Amino acid sequence: MAKLYLVPTPIGNLDDITLRAVEVLRSVDLILAEDTRTTSFLLRHLGIEKPLKSHHKFNEHATAQLFSETIAAGRDIALVSDAGTPGISDPGFLLVRTCVEQGVEVETLPGPTALIPALVNSGFPCDRFCFEGFLPQKKGRMKQLQRLAEEERTMIFYESPYRIVKCLEQFAEVFGADRPLSVSRELTKKFEETVRGTVAEVLDHFRAHEPKGEFVVVVAGKPTKKKKQEINDEDGED
Ligand code: SAM
């Protein structure tokens, strides 16, 4: 039975592609790409030649049905995005849902994604967390943040370099200037950097150093009552 494969691709360092991802890209009949130029570059690097078709947020509603039928008719398809795992702040969900609804098999390979290394690198609890992706750019942004004001799990956000300072200012407003956070940028790339501190400290850093590259912001959850008590007890000991 043919399948839809979701294949994660590197978020910077090309060596991060898995052996199985290469094997799948080599074996499928067709590759769907968010941007065929970006994927052609990766395929050339891997020495793979395959038919490529575009599948992006502007055409996915129109093409999901067609590709699901193509798989049902016996052709294996791989879906890739420009970087990381398809479906994670990238096209993928609609095609997967259509395939699932139509009884077409779906297999997602594990592999690169920006949120996991940023989370683990933050030093905040990663046993439970919530991934918020990109906040809405304008309408509903503060409402969405206010909904998270009481969140006790570690929170992960994607943000662009153009909005990172504004985003940290809004975090100071909603979570408080002394909430710990960790900003990872350019993960797996030459200028990879993680800046940790309170919201106020990290804000100062990015006001002084022009934000460049791709960013993941990891915010510590609101301290639970038990944790607050432990902090107070420790303070009392001094
Ligand atoms: N599908 C991707 C994934 O699995 O992480 C996410 C794609 S989303 C369109 C792009 C966003 O992911 C960037 O704006 C940034 O927030 C984050 N991102 C992607 N690559 C990154 C990297 N190398 N370093 C830091 N953040 C990255």
Side-chain angles (χ1 to χ4, degrees):
M1 197 173 170
K3 279 187 194 173
L4 168 69
Y5 292 93
L6 284 98
V7 180
T9 54
I11 57 167
N13 188 328
L14 291 181
D15 288 348
D16 287 337
I17 190 130
T18 68
L19 296 174
R20 199 148 76 88
V22 176
E23 197 181 294
V24 167
L25 291 175
R26 219 169 246 143
S27 72
V28 292
D29 300 296
L30 172 67
I31 299 175
L32 304 182
E34 192 184 2
D35 181 333
T36 51
R37 284 161 308 178
T38 308
T39 302
S40 299
F41 174 81
L42 176 69
L43 294 180
R44 260 199 311 279
H45 171 79
L46 299 170
I48 297 174
E49 258 185 67
K50 279 286 156 184
L52 271 179
K53 285 211 165 123
S54 318
H55 182 79
H56 45 65
K57 63 179 175 186
F58 302 109
N59 72 1
E60 60 179 343
H61 285 269
T63 54
Q65 178 68 28
L66 170 75
F67 291 133
S68 167
E69 285 168 10
T70 307
I71 303 167
R75 298 180 73 207
D76 282 317
I77 291 186
L79 173 66
V80 299
S81 62
D82 286 352
T85 300
I88 301 298
S89 297
D90 266 338
F93 153 68
L94 273 176
L95 182 56
V96 171
R97 185 176 66 181
T98 307
C99 288
V100 169
E101 282 170 359
Q102 304 196 339
V104 167
E105 266 208 63
V106 178
E107 186 172 336
T108 301
L109 272 58
T113 186
L115 70 117
I116 298 297
L119 167 68
V120 178
N121 215 30
S122 70
F124 302 146
C126 36
D127 50 346
R128 285 193 184 81
F129 60 89
C130 61
F131 173 59
E132 289 294 318
F134 290 101
L135 286 164
Q137 283 187 27
K138 288 196 181 95
K139 202 165 163 269
R141 187 177 170 99
M142 282 310 275
K143 229 184 207 161
Q144 173 88 356
L145 271 180
Q146 268 140 11
R147 270 199 285 270
L148 293 168
E150 299 299 312
E151 179 58 65
E152 292 177 352
R153 294 170 298 175
T154 304
M155 294 166 271
I156 308 166
F157 301 86
Y158 283 170
E159 192 48 283
S160 92
Y162 314 107
R163 275 188 301 273
I164 190 80
V165 168
K166 180 92 204 140
C167 171
L168 295 176
E169 286 166 357
Q170 291 170 331
F171 283 3
E173 207 178 311
V174 176
F175 302 127
D178 56 357
R179 178 74 67 90
L181 61 73
S182 169
V183 174
S184 289
R185 65 173 199 98
E186 296 291 86
L187 287 158
T188 80
K189 302 186 199 174
K190 190 173 171 194
F191 297 107
E192 171 166 353
E193 174 186 40
T194 293
V195 182
R196 303 179 186 85
T198 62
V199 176
E201 287 163 350
V202 177
L203 192 47
D204 280 349
H205 174 90
F206 285 110
R207 279 182 178 141
H209 304 86
E210 188 195 346
K212 285 188 189 149
E214 300 194 276
F215 285 78
V216 184
V217 184
V218 184
V219 183
K222 186 177 177 182
T224 56
K225 282 196 183 104
K226 188 166 163 250
K227 186 87 196 151
K228 266 189 191 149
Q229 191 55 50
E230 282 168 13
I231 295 168
N232 288 342
D233 291 348
E234 276 167 23
D235 288 349
E237 278 170 17
D238 300 335

